[in-house]
Amino acid sequence: MRIPCPYCGDRDSQEFVYRGDASPVRPADPAEETEFFDYVYLRENPAGPIDELWYHAQGCRNWITLTRDTRDHAISAARLTSEGKSA
Amino acid sequence: MTHYSLFTLLRNALTGHRHWDRAWRDAEPQESYDVIIVGGGGHGLATAYYLAKEHGITNVAVLEKGWIGGGNAGRNTTIIRSNYGLPGNIPFYEWSMKLWEGMEQDLNYNTMVSQRGVLNLYHSDAQRDAYARRGNMMRLHGVDAELLGRDQVQAMAPFLDYENARFPIQGGLLQRRGGTARHDAVVWGYARGASDRGVDIIQNCAVTGMLRGPDGSVTGVETTRGPIRAKKVGLSVAGNSSRLAEMAGLRLPIESHVLQAFVSEGLKPLIPGVITFGAGHFYVSQSDKGGLVFGGDIDGYNSYAQRGNLPTVEDVCEGGMALMPMIGRARLLRSWGGIMDMSMDGSPIIDHAPVGGLYLNAGWCYGGFKATPAAGWCFAHLLATDQPHETAADFRLDRFATGHVIDEKGQGAQPNLH
Ligand SMILES: Cc1cc2nc3c(=O)[nH]c(=O)nc-3n(C[C@H](O)[C@H](O)[C@H](O)COP(=O)(O)OP(=O)(O)OC[C@H]3O[C@@H](n4cnc5c(N)ncnc54)[C@H](O)[C@@H]3O)c2cc1C
Ligand SMILES: [Zn+2]
């Protein structure tokens, strides 16, 4: 699998560290325990497109938000996470 | 059902083995059942078998979207063991080991349970101490464990690389009662036992939705072969638990990941039992046909693709070369992948779903084959009595919310690291 880093171009997935689903958002303090439980533990776990975080550890060291299909690994979008959700 | 024995074998030999009965019935769906089990893997079939045998509940259907044993039950590396370290896990896996030990007599089926030993190697003082602790935990729970020094390991497995500069082998933790079993035979043996007691095994029947009553509780399932009603629906779908739970409006503390397995060409007897490398993730055993069966880490990112990628192949083979360099001379015959539920603490869930009529057997990660008999036993107990079985009482769904996680690895809520 190659990952299209917006900064470095297509790079082997081995250069990246995977952090997982990008959709859970840390609840703002003060938050209920149930909100934290939801954030830490519960996942959509979709069979289809998922937004997820990859860190280009052996490259530019940017965090990247990928949209990848979990059924066939087709990547439909890649953006720098620092640029926010809708780049 | 024909009772299998030396006598039936001889009688069928005389007629050229052309008159054996089918081992189990390929059933058509009925309108309704007392219990529906979704998923015809080892767990689902074992559940149906114990529901019928231990609880007398025989109006049961097992619904399988493909063919039974086509999922992880037929894809795993067949290792069975009960060398866990936490109180929530040890009694359950030991109960499973006891069921393995009696399985062939109970099922009247040769599941080729082979207690050839599972040896976990250690490569540092700290790892030895951790294994000593685990061994002590096991022995306190009445499970067999022996801490071996380097000489004892060398006598058992002289072909390992003892002089590896970075990871010299110092010894190992051995569970002699661990070993392997024939995965397909486990599926067929439970299917035969369940079918014989009246359970309908229905293949090519994918569940596509849940039927709900006026109060929201589950009253059956929608399938590709029409709606089927049931008083209770149990999910036992390995890597697809989130998909099925979503049909009931639930999110689970689970991600789906792919694990690969590998087999070499057939070789003469070489590896006495199961050996695991302690400095990387690599485990190997030898099948009765002679192939070296091995595996390592999951690919690491969410996947429903049922096949893995090359970096993990390379990583697993590097682990093998570091442990036993001679493996480099063997040709790889096949590799494949299976999709597993990776739970947030690496431990399973056998519990009521927070929706009436729905029951969960999920989150088995990559250790669920060894659990097959006890998972079936305990899930059947839950379905029949609405009470958790004593050995599975900690596998609760709400443990994540209440902080009672069972985290053998101490990794936290990071499923791809478990
Ligand atoms: C490569 C690999 C190696 C492994 N090695 C080991 C090992 O050495 N030791 C060990 O203990 N464990 C091991 N495991 C884990 C173990 O195989 C699984 O945890 C266990 O098999 C899961 O239970 P099961 O047998 O019931 O699953 P499965 O056989 O996967 O059964 C689930 C069934 O549900 C069906 N299903 C899914 N969705 C639907 C639907 N919508 N409708 C109807 N049916 C559906 C599937 O088709 C499947 O047949 C390994 C797993 C893999 C992938
Ligand atoms: Zn980059």
Side-chain angles (χ1 to χ4, degrees), chain A residues 1 12-14 18-19 21 33 37-38 40-47 50 52 54 68 70-73, chain B residues 242-243 251-256 300-305 307 309 311 314 344 400-401 405 413-414 416:
Chain A
M1 185 161 72
D12 192 296
S13 65
Q14 273 184 292
Y18 184 66
R19 186 64 185 86
D21 195 342
E33 250 176 54
F37 160 65
D38 195 290
V40 175
Y41 291 113
L42 296 185
R43 296 291 178 268
E44 295 294 338
N45 191 18
I50 182 173
E52 57 190 10
W54 294 76
R68 181 180 59 93
T70 57
R71 292 165 303 183
D72 58 8
H73 311 318
Chain B
S242 297
R243 304 275 52 74
R251 283 186 305 152
L252 298 177
I254 285 174
E255 289 181 358
S256 296
Y301 41 83
N302 294 35
S303 177
Y304 283 90
R307 74 196 145 95
N309 268 318
E314 196 178 5
M344 284 285 175
F400 302 93
V405 292
Q414 184 73 0
N416 63 326

Side-chain angles (χ1 to χ4, degrees), chain B residues 38-44 63-80 205-208 236-240 244 247 259-261 283 336-340 364-372:
Chain B
V38 186
H43 286 215
L63 309 183
E64 166 54 49
K65 73 174 172 188
W67 63 93
I68 61 166
N72 293 347
R75 293 165 189 263
N76 66 77
T77 42
T78 78
I79 299 166
I80 61 175
C205 182
V207 170
T208 53
S236 194
V237 291
N240 282 290
L244 272 290
M247 295 173 195
L259 179 67
Q260 306 193 54
Y283 46 87
W336 61 92
I339 301 302
M340 307 158 316
W364 284 101
C365 304
Y366 44 75
F369 177 67
K370 72 175 89 70
T372 303

Side-chain angles (χ1 to χ4, degrees), chain A:
Chain A
M1 185 161 72
R2 293 227 192 130
I3 292 180
C5 175
Y7 198 76
C8 313
D10 273 355
R11 308 295 301 187
D12 192 296
S13 65
Q14 273 184 292
E15 292 181 5
F16 296 77
V17 174
Y18 184 66
R19 186 64 185 86
D21 195 342
S23 34
V25 178
R26 188 187 167 91
D29 268 341
E32 295 295 324
E33 250 176 54
T34 52
E35 291 176 71
F36 263 103
F37 160 65
D38 195 290
Y39 164 69
V40 175
Y41 291 113
L42 296 185
R43 296 291 178 268
E44 295 294 338
N45 191 18
I50 182 173
D51 281 351
E52 57 190 10
L53 296 169
W54 294 76
Y55 176 60
H56 199 183
Q58 291 172 42
C60 61
R61 299 207 267 159
N62 274 307
W63 282 95
I64 293 155
T65 307
L66 273 195
T67 309
R68 181 180 59 93
D69 193 314
T70 57
R71 292 165 303 183
D72 58 8
H73 311 318
I75 295 166
S76 54
R79 56 192 174 273
L80 294 178
T81 309
S82 55
E83 289 174 359
K85 278 217 154 181
S86 48

Side-chain angles (χ1 to χ4, degrees), chain B residues 10 22 78 82 169 198 228 293 295 312 345 349 360:
Chain B
L10 290 175
R22 289 189 69 97
T78 78
S82 55
I169 295 167
I228 309 176
V293 182
T312 304
D345 62 356
I349 296 159
L360 297 175

